[in-house]
């Protein structure tokens, strides 16, 4: 069946460095991808999304890259801050943002001061 | 904008009790809401999708008689865990998606359910 997975379950970075969180997906029909940040005891918080007709999208301090050839998605966080420490989930869907989402396993990002 | 409120945030109750969890979209109308379950250090698993005014669509393996979903208005969906048992203890999270084809899912802060 389809699955969305992450290469690294944990990531530790120094404050001020850039972070890259990776995600692999297997459903070639997926046309919508989204990143969420989840802090302990809270619900996921929307970070950024991207549709399959794009390969890059930028937000505030974050960039999502989509490589459909190898079915790979990444989230780049510039100048990582302690407040960025959380678990990050990628998710994929079909039918644009209207479809159901399949979530990956999550990567825990720890930022060292 | 796009705030989703979930209530209660924490429930502890005895085995056999039924528990109702509310999910509200506070500043937008949600034609579709989703209910997820999350075990510690694991990902979110979709339980069901509810559309306003119609029956919920449950994922495979989710007992619809156990997890009753009602989406009676464009701002409120409820999940009732009937006759809860310790194995139902989990973190339940709802999300809501507004109308239109560009809106992502926005999540509530979850409900931690502990059944004794």
């Amino acid at each position: 069946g389809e699955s969305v997975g992450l290469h690294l379950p944990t990531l530790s970075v120094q404050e001020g460095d850039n972070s890259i969180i990776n995600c692999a997906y297997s459903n070639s029909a997926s046309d919508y991808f989204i990143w969420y940040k989840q802090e302990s005891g809270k619900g996921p918080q929307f970070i950024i999304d991207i549709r399959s007709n794009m390969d890059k999208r930028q937000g505030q301090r974050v960039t999502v890259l989509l490589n459909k050839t190898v079915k790979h998605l990444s989230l780049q966080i510039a100048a990582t801050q302690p407040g960025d420490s959380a678990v990050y989930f990628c998710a994929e869907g079909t039918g644009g943002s209207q479809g159901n989402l399949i979530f990956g396993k999550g990567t825990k990002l720890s930022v060292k001061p | 904008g796009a705030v989703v409120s979930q209530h209660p945030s924490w429930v502890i109750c005895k085995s056999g009790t039924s528990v109702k969890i509310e999910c509200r979209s506070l500043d937008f109308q949600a034609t579709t809401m989703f209910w997820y379950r999350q075990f510690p250090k694991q990902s979110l698993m979709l339980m069901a999708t509810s559309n306003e005014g119609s029956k919920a669509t449950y994922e495979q393996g989710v007992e619809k008689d156990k997890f009753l979903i009602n989406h009676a208005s464009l701002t409120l969906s409820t999940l009732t865990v009937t006759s809860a048992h310790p194995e139902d203890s989990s973190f339940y999270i709802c999300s809501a998606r507004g109308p239109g084809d560009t809106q992502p899912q926005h999540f509530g802060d979850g409900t931690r359910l502990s059944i004794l």
Side-chain angles (χ1 to χ4, degrees):
Chain A
E2 279 70 31
S3 65
V4 178
L6 296 173
H7 296 304
L8 297 172
T10 60
L11 178 65
S12 183
V13 299
Q14 202 70 37
E15 181 179 359
D17 288 350
N18 296 333
S19 302
I20 300 176
I21 302 173
N22 296 301
C23 180
Y25 65 96
S26 59
N27 185 2
S28 57
S30 292
D31 58 9
Y32 177 72
F33 305 88
I34 189 167
W35 282 98
Y36 286 96
K37 171 188 179 183
Q38 187 178 29
E39 296 176 337
S40 181
K42 294 189 175 182
Q45 177 186 357
F46 170 78
I47 300 174
I48 193 168
D49 58 1
I50 188 169
R51 285 165 172 75
S52 60
N53 61 351
M54 302 174 67
D55 53 20
K56 181 179 180 179
R57 193 175 186 205
Q58 288 184 293
Q60 187 177 12
R61 279 201 307 120
V62 295
T63 300
V64 56
L65 298 177
L66 175 62
N67 186 331
K68 295 182 288 294
T69 302
V70 295
K71 300 194 188 85
H72 185 266
L73 187 71
S74 68
L75 176 70
Q76 300 179 3
I77 304 173
T80 312
Q81 302 169 0
D84 295 326
S85 295
V87 177
Y88 289 79
F89 291 97
C90 65
E92 63 174 330
T94 56
S97 62
Q98 295 298 294
N100 293 349
L101 295 176
I102 298 174
F103 279 79
K105 295 181 180 179
T107 292
K108 182 177 181 180
L109 175 64
S110 296
V111 182
K112 296 176 288 186
Chain B
V3 178
V4 176
S5 175
Q6 199 169 331
H7 178 81
S9 57
W10 193 292
V11 179
I12 302 174
C13 59
K14 294 181 179 179
S15 184
T17 305
S18 291
V19 178
K20 179 184 283 188
I21 302 169
E22 293 186 348
C23 180
R24 294 181 184 273
S25 56
L26 297 186
D27 53 359
F28 67 103
Q29 293 184 327
T31 54
T32 305
M33 288 185 172
F34 303 84
W35 288 96
Y36 294 82
R37 184 172 180 175
Q38 185 178 32
F39 291 104
K41 298 184 179 180
Q42 294 191 24
S43 189
L44 283 75
M45 292 174 47
L46 180 64
M47 298 175 65
T49 302
S50 72
N51 294 297
E52 186 267 337
S54 62
K55 291 183 178 180
T57 302
Y58 290 82
E59 295 299 299
Q60 190 173 7
V62 178
E63 300 176 60
K64 61 180 180 181
D65 295 330
K66 175 74 170 177
F67 300 99
L68 301 179
I69 292 172
N70 182 278
H71 191 159
S73 78
L74 286 171
T75 60
L76 174 64
S77 176
T78 61
L79 168 68
T80 301
V81 183
T82 61
S83 186
H85 292 285
E87 59 266 27
D88 299 321
S89 298
S90 189
F91 193 50
Y92 293 88
I93 315 174
C94 73
S95 70
R97 188 176 62 208
D101 59 2
T102 62
Q103 296 300 311
Q105 292 183 31
H106 296 280
F107 285 81
D109 270 342
T111 296
R112 185 157 304 283
L113 176 62
S114 296
I115 308 297
L116 305 177

